[in-house]
Amino acid sequence: MTEILGSLDDLAARVPDGALLALPPEYSFVPMALIRALIRRGAKDLHILTVPIGGMAADMLIGAGCVKRVECAAVTLGEVGLAPRFSAAVEQGRVEVIDSTCPAVHTALQATEKGVPFMPLGGLIGSDIVKQRNDWKVVDDPLGRGNGKIVLIPAIQPDVAVIHSPLADRDGNVWIGRRRELATIAHAARTLLVTVERVQNESLLASEATAAGALPGLYVSALAEAPMGAKPLGLVEHYEPDHDELACYGREARSEQGFRAYLERTVFAGTRAAAE
Amino acid sequence: MSGDADYSDAEFLITTVARLIETPDVRHVAVGAASPIPGAAALLVRKLKGGTPRVSLIHGKATNPFTDGGREIFDCAGQGRVDVFFLGGVQIDGEANINLVGTGDYPKVDKRFPGSFGSAYMYFVVPKVILFRPEHTRRVFVPKVDFVSAPGLSAPDVRRPGGPKYLVTELCVMSFDAGRGRFRLESVTPGRTVEEVRDNTGFEIEIPDRVAKTLAPEPERLALLRSSVGREIADVYPGFARDMLGVAA
């Protein structure tokens, strides 16, 4: 059964230090409130997998010192510009990067989804990504049908994945709409933690129209309500990204000092006073 | 661009890219994140040709046709259903290798950029990849990239239906000849010179005896960009449409 927890902090406590943590792409159901709770709890030594591109969530976790290693096809703030804490941490050697490419991240999760140890993927050969990935292997067409060389991508099984959705029901079924990469992430991860705008009584599986966009509770370990839980990012058909706030982050996070001030204001505000 | 032109740099680049994709072989143009000029060019061509090619802007809503998650655009391209895609590069070299990762001695890079995105796959499977990089300097166009996110050329035992066909910069349009493994200068932006192109390119390119000028934006296309197509662009790239085309969302 999916557990319905009372608070974000209860959910954040379920992400152990050192876990391989999968994060959804920036346009898609990012649990920013939970990311802030993780930073408040002082998560350490996380290995992040961005599926396949990271943004503000990954940048904040890296800047806050929660991350030891990041596997990514890219980390970027999109129109705001470079992800400043990611770039700085890589340049200063404070975080290890394992460079990948978008379809390789999807393929690695699809292998886990299918319960197979690896999957082949076209392209890639000749890229320095392949050269530095000792875990990938280039082989000749194993079926001997003259298809040339191909890359084998090992399965990745995240320990934990986190997403934010507009809606869940009491059975733990979660609305994901057409963001099917969230289903792939959920199928592949050992534990899926979900924050939602609200929990409704009526089952999402009661009608075909909602069932088609639902992730069954089968894959959902625990969830908690977090209204506006994707802010300052957007949540499709619920709220737009707060472009001013995102631009503000992009500016302030350019320096370590500015980033610390941003964290104090947006992550720790209130909690320090309450603890004193 | 030329100081007294009645069009902006963005409008010039949009119409330049549009000419490269308005060929009969192009049925589907896909555009990645944060690429407003290529996206605008694709929407312009679609309008001019009455609905063909299909245009998929992966960060749009109604303009994003994909319903099977982030992998669908790559699967779709792998099936041969995407004819044009755009890539850029922090660095690009004379063999059309592109670097989106960083400069310096990888992994100890001096300057880290976002990463390779889907380039290492799309470059192989999309028949007409257009490299789009307005900044034309020796900082970008280097003799050899520091990191190959995606290679311009492949050995014969690697299946590769796709690859680079053109490079568009603020100075010129080049074509890429995979057989000879090098770029050829096709046309130069009005007001700029072949010498400028040569001086600002860190690798050898083929320069024909006579090099045409890139055409200025056609008036009817400019009018579309500033009206109906501009509004479509504004739906997806509101900031760009407002600042570069003067069109409100």
Side-chain angles (χ1 to χ4, degrees):
Chain A
M1 274 298 284
T2 305
E3 293 179 76
I4 300 185
L5 302 178
S7 83
L8 271 178
D9 291 334
D10 293 343
L11 215 53
R14 307 262 178 128
V15 182
D17 289 344
L20 172 57
L21 175 67
L23 297 176
E26 203 78 317
Y27 54 84
S28 181
F29 294 54
V30 184
M32 289 304 293
L34 180 57
I35 298 297
R36 290 188 287 270
L38 268 178
I39 292 172
R40 274 197 300 275
R41 106 149 175 70
K44 276 192 283 298
D45 297 330
L46 296 175
H47 295 200
I48 286 180
L49 175 71
T50 66
V51 185
I53 294 164
M56 187 180 184
D59 201 58
M60 284 179 71
L61 287 170
I62 291 166
C66 304
V67 178
K68 187 174 185 183
R69 188 163 79 188
V70 53
E71 176 164 352
C72 60
V75 180
T76 172
L77 299 184
E79 297 208 64
V80 169
L82 297 178
R85 292 297 92 204
F86 164 73
S87 286
V90 178
E91 289 159 13
Q92 293 158 14
R94 284 188 281 112
V95 67
E96 183 192 347
V97 186
I98 301 176
D99 271 290
S100 188
T101 184
C102 300
V105 176
H106 295 303
T107 297
L109 293 173
Q110 285 179 275
T112 306
E113 196 175 34
K114 291 183 189 305
V116 296
F118 60 84
M119 274 177 70
L121 179 64
L124 281 59
I125 295 167
S127 163
D128 283 344
I129 299 171
V130 178
K131 209 175 289 176
Q132 52 97 29
R133 295 287 307 231
N134 296 325
D135 55 332
W136 294 2
K137 191 167 183 187
V138 179
V139 298
D140 288 319
D141 176 3
L143 302 183
R145 293 183 185 171
N147 287 310
K149 292 192 160 81
I150 194 150
V151 182
L152 305 182
I153 308 285
I156 297 178
Q157 182 168 40
D159 295 315
V160 185
V162 291
I163 65 171
H164 178 76
S165 150
L167 185 63
D169 63 27
R170 297 276 159 211
D171 301 325
N173 303 308
V174 171
W175 175 256
I176 57 169
R178 65 159 140 169
R179 300 295 6 160
R180 304 303 302 173
E181 64 273 355
L182 302 178
T184 304
I185 293 171
H187 299 164
R190 287 191 176 88
T191 298
L192 177 70
L193 306 177
V194 182
T195 58
V196 292
E197 293 290 317
R198 68 185 179 91
V199 179
Q200 71 176 23
N201 288 324
E202 190 189 359
S203 174
L204 289 168
L205 303 184
S207 103
E208 287 299 296
T210 49
L215 175 72
L218 166 64
Y219 304 101
V220 183
S221 311
L223 63 83
E225 278 187 332
M228 297 295 173
K231 285 268 183 187
L233 299 171
L235 187 63
V236 68
E237 292 191 329
H238 288 263
Y239 40 89
E240 291 297 310
D242 183 341
H243 293 289
D244 292 341
E245 177 68 13
L246 297 177
C248 170
Y249 176 78
R251 271 193 315 275
E252 292 192 22
R254 268 180 221 157
S255 73
E256 177 68 27
Q257 196 184 5
F259 175 71
R260 290 285 150 197
Y262 185 88
L263 282 191
E264 283 301 324
R265 200 174 70 244
T266 63
V267 176
F268 294 111
T271 59
R272 297 250 203 256
E276 278 163 13
Chain B
M1 235 128 277
S2 50
D4 56 353
D6 55 0
Y7 51 84
S8 69
D9 291 357
E11 288 168 334
F12 174 77
L13 289 168
I14 291 168
T15 51
T16 300
V17 171
R19 277 181 223 109
L20 302 177
I21 59 181
E22 59 177 330
T23 52
D25 55 317
V26 177
R27 301 152 302 160
H28 184 189
V29 180
V31 183
S35 307
I37 288 176
L43 292 173
L44 175 62
V45 173
R46 185 176 70 176
K47 174 65 104 186
L48 288 165
K49 300 183 73 175
T52 315
R54 218 177 251 284
V55 177
S56 300
L57 307 174
I58 62 168
H59 281 195
K61 283 178 196 152
T63 47
N64 173 2
F66 300 114
T67 57
D68 202 19
R71 69 190 155 94
E72 189 177 359
I73 187 174
F74 303 105
D75 293 349
C76 182
Q79 294 150 18
R81 295 180 203 270
V82 176
D83 303 308
V84 173
F85 194 70
F86 299 90
L87 290 169
V90 170
Q91 297 176 322
I92 298 171
D93 69 26
E95 292 191 336
N97 297 310
I98 63 173
N99 171 13
L100 295 159
V101 162
T103 54
D105 192 11
Y106 188 91
K108 298 192 187 316
V109 292
D110 306 321
K111 184 95 182 90
R112 173 73 201 202
F113 290 89
S116 300
F117 295 90
S119 64
Y121 184 76
M122 296 302 264
Y123 217 19
F124 284 77
V125 295
V126 176
K128 194 179 210 174
V129 175
I130 298 176
L131 299 174
F132 179 72
R133 185 68 164 112
E135 178 185 335
H136 195 137
T137 63
R138 283 181 179 253
R139 188 175 81 142
V140 174
F141 298 109
V142 295
K144 182 83 185 83
V145 295
D146 292 341
F147 184 93
V148 179
S149 285
L153 299 166
S154 291
D157 61 350
V158 175
R159 185 176 168 270
R160 183 164 194 173
K165 289 292 181 290
Y166 292 101
L167 166 63
V168 178
T169 79
E170 63 190 351
L171 292 186
C172 68
V173 176
M174 297 191 208
S175 58
F176 186 75
D177 181 340
R180 304 172 70 186
R182 66 173 177 173
F183 286 100
R184 178 180 194 272
L185 185 59
E186 293 291 332
S187 68
V188 174
T189 299
R192 314 305 287 261
T193 64
V194 172
E195 287 64 41
E196 267 182 282
V197 171
R198 192 185 280 126
D199 290 348
N200 290 289
T201 306
F203 49 79
E204 289 295 312
I205 53 175
E206 183 184 339
I207 300 179
D209 294 339
R210 289 182 55 84
V211 180
K213 266 189 198 164
T214 307
L215 295 177
E218 300 82 346
E220 67 279 11
R221 295 184 177 198
L222 273 182
L224 284 172
L225 283 177
R226 292 167 185 176
S227 58
S228 59
V229 175
R231 285 190 293 275
E232 288 181 52
I233 296 164
D235 282 342
V236 191
Y237 312 106
F240 171 81
R242 185 187 61 232
D243 300 341
M244 309 303 282
L245 301 173
V247 176

